[in-house]
Amino acid sequence: QAQLVESGGGSVQAGGSLRLACKVSGLIYSQYYCGAWFRQAPGKEREAVAGIYYLDGTTFYLASVEGRFTISRDHAKDTLFLQMNGLNPEDTARYFCAVGGTCSASRWARGAEYYYWGQGTQVTVSS
């Protein structure tokens, strides 16, 4: 049974950093080639923050986080990471990791592309 468990969320002041981790279990590597982080703030729609294509390491970012956030993965440990620097209050949201079968520049941000989702971890940034 597939399971994704996020960790690393918390409360920080503006300008601070957090590193989110997503441990994937119950899946074999060939079952998913794309990993991503999404976030959802209260009263707002879910949005894709960052994605990574496992086969060649290509990364994708939401424009507002590019240059501040970095997505990466540790294949050996089946873990997906999101390093978040320069956080601001607009980054406050619940962050979810997801993995799926494929991704591309035109598709990585679509939630429907992902088969499995974690329960999320809360990130709160105060001014």
Side-chain angles (χ1 to χ4, degrees):
Q1 182 177 356
Q3 189 174 24
L4 279 64
V5 179
E6 299 97 336
S7 62
S11 297
V12 296
Q13 290 191 326
S17 299
L18 285 172
R19 189 189 195 206
L20 305 184
C22 171
K23 175 67 175 177
V24 181
S25 61
L27 291 172
I28 58 175
Y29 181 65
S30 61
Q31 288 181 286
Y32 60 102
Y33 296 123
C34 186
W37 289 93
F38 288 74
R39 68 185 180 187
Q40 186 165 23
K44 295 186 177 181
E45 292 189 356
R46 182 182 65 191
E47 63 180 354
V49 175
I52 185 167
Y53 186 38
Y54 280 50
L55 294 187
D56 64 9
T58 300
T59 56
F60 311 94
Y61 293 98
L62 179 69
S64 63
V65 308
E66 192 155 16
R68 299 188 296 124
F69 291 10
T70 302
I71 188 170
S72 62
R73 90 279 192 268
D74 183 330
H75 172 48
K77 296 182 178 180
D78 291 331
T79 304
L80 186 66
F81 298 100
L82 184 67
Q83 177 67 43
M84 305 186 295
N85 299 327
L87 286 162
N88 58 60
E90 290 69 39
D91 296 315
T92 294
R94 191 164 185 84
Y95 285 69
F96 302 85
C97 64
V99 296
T102 187
C103 60
S104 65
S106 61
R107 296 169 65 177
W108 76 273
R110 300 179 185 176
E113 296 292 331
Y114 300 89
Y115 310 148
Y116 304 102
W117 293 77
Q119 294 299 308
T121 184
Q122 180 66 34
V123 172
T124 303
V125 185
S126 58
S127 59

